[in-house]
Amino acid sequence: MFKWLTVEADKRGIWVLQGFYNIHLSHAFARAHGLAYHLSTPNELASAYTRYAVSEFVKEYPNAGLMMTLGEALSPHKGVEWLTQTIIPGVKDGLKELGTTLEPPIVVRAHATDIADVMKAAVPLYSNIDTMFKWNGESLTSTNVRGPVLDEFKMLVESSNVNVANVHLLSNLEPFRWGDPDFVRQTLMNFQRIGIGGLHLYPLRYWEWPVAGDNTSPLLMQTDRDWIWFDSWARYAWNPNRDADKEHAYWASRFAEKYGSAEAGEKLLEAYTLAGPAQPRLLPRIGITEGNRQAFALGMTMPQLIDEARFNPAQTLWTGDAPAGERLNEYVAHEAKGEPQPKGETPLGVSEEELEASAKALAAAETAGPFVSKGKDEYARVVNDMRAIHLLMMFYNAKTNAAEQVMLYGYDRYAARLKKADALLAESVEDFKQLTDVAGPAYRTATSMETSQRQIPFRGGMENFPSWEQVLPMYVKELATFRTRVAQLESGKAGSSAQAEGQLPQVGFALKDGAGEVFTVTKGAALFSGGKAVEIGSVAPELEGMKGIRVSPTEGGTLRFSLEKPAQILVGFVKSASKKDSVLDPETEQWNLVLLNAVSAAKVPTMAVWAKSLPAGANELDLGKGSYVVLGFIPEDLKVAPHVNFGAGGAVNLDWFFE
């Protein structure tokens, strides 16, 4: 079948490409030679085997090309060696046995490899090499690219016969219908301008191809459900240089064919076009990544909005895959300091615009109803999607504005901002409840990728958070936590406080045999014992220089120490979603909150400090296995009102409000 397909395609001027990853050995071969199925570094046996396999493939299918990902198993810096010493020689071996010099195309993906070095080494050895690079990562965010992404495309265009842009995975569009023809047309026009010569298009729900995610019986086929997605990319990949007005009429007529009237066609085209930019435009302004780590339809947490650096954001999301503009932290910093906003898009501006546009899209879809005489079931699903997209924009708009208020509070300490944030955050939860009611029954899952790579909004991906129903309780909890934190903060305003200026007074202690080691609490000190050092990035002035006890998070153990007199032990706890960590929850164990935002360290949520009274003399304490640190001991009768360490000016990490 494959031979027939490749021969017949060749008669029609079409090259069929066989894609593969490196180094993946056949299981039988790997078992026979005691090798792993996936190798990160080439070896002589794997190279000889793969070279032979490639040569046999070329002999058997001379009308097929090869499309390869030199990663992901293979280390990026080994791509040059593998391509030039194994793959290309294998192709040439096959061509020699065929007695031909006609080189089949080799398409090398720029993913997970040092592509510039690869092309520099490979082009002198093989003339028919093309390249492929993701357009907007694993999402669709813009009709154009700039900065480092544009530079990469220019390099690839210059170094290869044909550079192919890969519209990949569409993580931010799932699971809803999407089809903005003019967005696609403008994108393909930019392909031309850059010099990109090919399109590699993924479906909207790649991991479940060919069925859609809609909760229907029988399941919908993507080729039917997403007809406008495939048709628009095909039409404009062939030729994007078409009159915009005539194109509008063309697409309106296509919708009219589907739904039975010109009036329905116009309204539904309007709905698709208005809703089209919503998720693409908003993701770069507030999101974490254009990759598949983020399920945009499931929302984001407040820490992800206000503290993006903690979640390993992909900077090309806004430096290359979006128009010029600001991120939320930049926008708030300018606002707080009274500085003029730079030109370009802003998070709140885009959010407001797409909220309005999505409302109009829903209205247009609903208005089409009386004119729909065909495809009524699908029409109902379209309207439901438009309603879901609008509710998603409502959720993000309310939550982004809530984040703005909390971040501004970090600058000016105006308590009124927390009241505003409370109302906005509550509004976002209500919006998400409605989204759950609308989208939950309509889809089997929110996304199709069922792996732990899904980490935003919550770790565990499809295993624990496959849909809106599982995510909603987390946002309800987040709101409740915020209200608890604000109440705790407000409780420190009343009553007497013997809070000292500078360092808190210490009670002497002696650490006995057992877990932990004594250390000085200061910036740059290791926060935990054992393993890779995690250094303290900042510490509240009250704690600076105190003597504490650090413990290995992986080992835990019982702390044994003696106190000179009755004291309060001060402990910073790091909450973890991992079931392996059983460190106690101070809120349920009746500890007293002392200091919020007290200690920060790289890749560790900012710690709050909790206190518990202990008697003089010998003590034993087992706080469980997980991330925590003893930050010192203070007199038992010292009354410290709960308060916040805001650090030395500027915006601060405010994650403690929500965790």
Side-chain angles (χ1 to χ4, degrees):
M1 177 62 76
F2 190 69
K3 182 138 188 186
W4 175 87
L5 176 66
T6 56
V7 170
E8 292 301 312
D10 183 57
K11 293 177 181 177
R12 293 157 175 81
I14 300 169
W15 277 102
V16 174
L17 298 176
Q18 173 64 50
F20 61 102
Y21 282 66
N22 296 279
I23 302 172
H24 292 200
L25 301 176
S26 82
H27 289 192
F29 181 84
R31 286 194 297 266
H33 294 277
L35 298 172
Y37 298 154
H38 303 163
L39 299 182
S40 61
T41 302
N43 63 45
E44 186 175 348
L45 180 60
S47 180
Y49 166 76
T50 304
R51 177 172 177 172
Y52 171 75
V54 168
S55 69
E56 290 297 298
F57 178 85
V58 171
K59 284 166 54 182
E60 186 71 16
Y61 308 109
N63 306 110
L66 302 177
M67 182 178 79
M68 69 193 63
T69 304
L70 290 173
E72 296 169 346
L74 185 66
S75 297
H77 63 282
K78 294 293 184 178
V80 172
E81 176 184 343
W82 190 249
L83 179 61
T84 60
Q85 297 181 27
T86 299
I87 303 298
I88 290 177
V91 173
K92 288 187 172 181
D93 289 346
L95 295 178
K96 184 177 181 180
E97 291 196 46
L98 284 171
T100 180
T101 58
L102 178 62
E103 295 179 339
I106 294 178
V107 181
V108 182
R109 294 182 67 209
H111 172 67
T113 195
D114 299 328
I115 190 63
D117 293 339
V118 166
M119 295 305 294
K120 185 177 180 180
V123 167
L125 303 177
Y126 197 86
S127 63
N128 196 11
I129 292 188
D130 303 330
T131 54
M132 180 181 290
F133 187 44
K134 296 175 183 177
W135 176 247
N136 293 149
E138 291 161 340
S139 295
L140 184 64
T141 59
S142 180
T143 61
N144 204 355
V145 292
R146 63 188 183 92
V149 177
L150 178 59
D151 292 342
E152 185 87 344
F153 269 115
K154 286 181 175 179
M155 182 273 292
L156 294 171
V157 167
E158 186 176 337
S159 63
S160 54
N161 290 347
V162 178
N163 172 245
V164 180
N166 173 206
V167 177
H168 189 93
L169 213 59
L170 298 317
S171 300
N172 63 325
L173 302 184
E174 277 197 287
F176 308 122
R177 287 156 177 77
W178 194 95
D180 181 352
D182 205 56
F183 191 108
V184 175
R185 185 178 68 88
Q186 292 182 44
T187 301
L188 269 300
M189 289 179 70
N190 283 314
F191 280 21
Q192 280 189 336
R193 179 183 57 80
I194 296 168
I196 297 167
L199 167 69
H200 185 216
L201 182 72
Y202 271 47
L204 287 173
R205 197 172 177 91
Y206 173 79
W207 290 105
E208 282 198 309
W209 177 263
V211 297
D214 301 70
N215 190 19
T216 61
S217 182
L219 296 177
L220 302 178
M221 301 299 290
Q222 292 187 48
T223 46
D224 297 328
R225 192 199 92 141
D226 300 321
W227 63 273
I228 190 172
W229 171 262
F230 298 108
D231 286 12
S232 59
W233 284 102
R235 182 176 179 85
Y236 296 126
W238 183 259
N239 177 20
N241 302 305
R242 303 170 188 258
D243 180 79
D245 291 336
K246 290 181 179 178
E247 289 306 291
H248 177 93
Y250 169 77
W251 291 111
S253 70
R254 293 293 307 280
F255 274 101
E257 292 172 8
K258 297 279 183 182
Y259 296 102
S261 71
E263 294 87 349
E266 281 288 348
K267 288 297 181 182
L268 288 168
L269 173 60
E270 181 183 2
Y272 269 76
T273 303
L274 283 166
Q279 292 132 285
R281 289 189 69 206
L282 187 57
L283 178 70
R285 301 276 70 93
I286 64 172
I288 297 298
T289 176
E290 80 280 58
N292 57 38
R293 281 192 298 126
Q294 177 161 8
F296 197 57
L298 293 179
M300 293 172 62
T301 67
M302 287 291 280
Q304 288 159 4
L305 288 169
I306 67 178
D307 188 14
E308 65 181 33
R310 171 182 158 191
F311 298 92
N312 191 26
Q315 293 193 8
T316 51
L317 172 59
W318 59 90
T319 62
D321 291 325
E326 290 183 298
R327 297 281 288 177
L328 191 57
N329 61 330
E330 298 169 321
Y331 176 84
V332 171
H334 289 300
E335 184 181 8
K337 297 172 184 176
E339 299 172 348
Q341 299 287 353
K343 293 181 179 179
E345 294 185 341
T346 67
L348 297 183
V350 169
S351 180
E352 291 288 346
E353 290 168 11
E354 295 311 321
L355 177 64
E356 181 181 354
S358 64
K360 291 179 179 178
L362 174 58
E366 291 176 329
T367 304
F371 306 104
V372 173
S373 59
K374 292 170 58 179
K376 291 188 176 182
D377 288 345
E378 177 62 11
Y379 166 71
R381 289 188 284 265
V382 170
V383 173
N384 202 68
D385 271 9
M386 295 300 164
R387 184 171 290 110
I389 292 170
H390 179 51
L391 286 166
L392 184 64
M393 293 302 106
M394 290 173 64
F395 164 83
Y396 273 122
N397 186 256
K399 199 155 192 176
T400 303
N401 277 276
E404 176 205 25
Q405 292 301 312
V406 173
M407 294 168 78
L408 286 171
Y409 174 79
Y411 285 92
D412 58 32
R413 326 294 191 256
Y414 293 156
R417 296 200 184 280
L418 300 183
K419 297 295 184 184
K420 288 183 180 179
D422 182 285
L424 288 162
L425 192 57
E427 182 182 327
S428 76
V429 172
E430 183 57 37
D431 293 335
F432 202 86
K433 286 180 181 176
Q434 294 184 52
L435 175 61
T436 300
D437 291 340
V438 169
Y443 287 96
R444 291 176 287 110
T445 58
T447 63
S448 60
M449 185 173 177
E450 300 184 10
T451 76
S452 60
Q453 285 180 268
R454 291 278 193 224
Q455 298 176 17
I456 310 293
F458 300 106
R459 290 183 179 274
M462 293 289 290
E463 179 182 354
N464 298 318
F465 301 102
S467 198
W468 299 268
E469 291 88 345
Q470 291 76 33
V471 173
L472 175 59
M474 305 299 287
Y475 293 141
V476 173
K477 180 181 177 182
E478 184 181 62
L479 174 60
T481 301
F482 177 63
R483 288 174 170 170
T484 298
R485 293 286 183 263
V486 172
Q488 290 168 334
L489 183 61
E490 290 175 342
S491 71
K493 295 178 181 178
S496 61
S497 172
Q499 185 172 317
E501 293 184 5
Q503 186 192 79
L504 290 166
Q506 299 186 62
V507 171
F509 71 94
L511 184 64
K512 307 297 184 180
D513 290 342
E517 62 184 27
V518 177
F519 79 111
T520 300
V521 180
T522 188
K523 182 179 179 180
L527 190 58
F528 310 116
S529 66
K532 187 176 181 181
V534 177
E535 294 185 355
I536 294 176
S538 66
V539 61
E542 297 96 317
L543 304 173
E544 177 67 41
M546 294 191 75
K547 294 296 182 183
I549 304 171
R550 56 192 175 204
V551 182
S552 167
T554 58
E555 296 178 7
T558 301
L559 299 176
R560 296 182 175 89
F561 53 88
S562 62
L563 295 171
E564 292 180 354
K565 62 181 182 178
Q568 300 174 67
I569 185 173
L570 303 180
V571 180
F573 293 95
V574 178
K575 285 191 174 182
S576 173
S578 173
K579 296 178 181 178
K580 297 178 181 178
D581 294 344
S582 56
V583 63
L584 68 80
D585 182 350
E587 294 193 74
T588 61
E589 297 288 334
Q590 298 181 333
W591 287 52
N592 298 314
L593 180 66
V594 174
L595 182 60
L596 296 164
N597 210 50
V599 179
S600 69
K603 297 184 179 180
V604 175
T606 302
M607 291 182 173
V609 177
W610 299 77
K612 184 180 182 70
S613 294
L614 297 173
N619 282 269
E620 288 191 1
L621 202 60
D622 191 338
L623 300 178
K625 185 184 293 184
S627 299
Y628 69 90
V629 59
V630 177
L631 296 162
F633 299 85
I634 60 175
E636 184 185 33
D637 58 358
L638 183 68
K639 304 299 182 184
V640 183
H643 62 292
V644 184
N645 167 46
F646 283 104
V652 297
N653 186 319
L654 298 167
D655 295 358
W656 50 264
F657 266 130
F658 309 99
E659 298 178 331

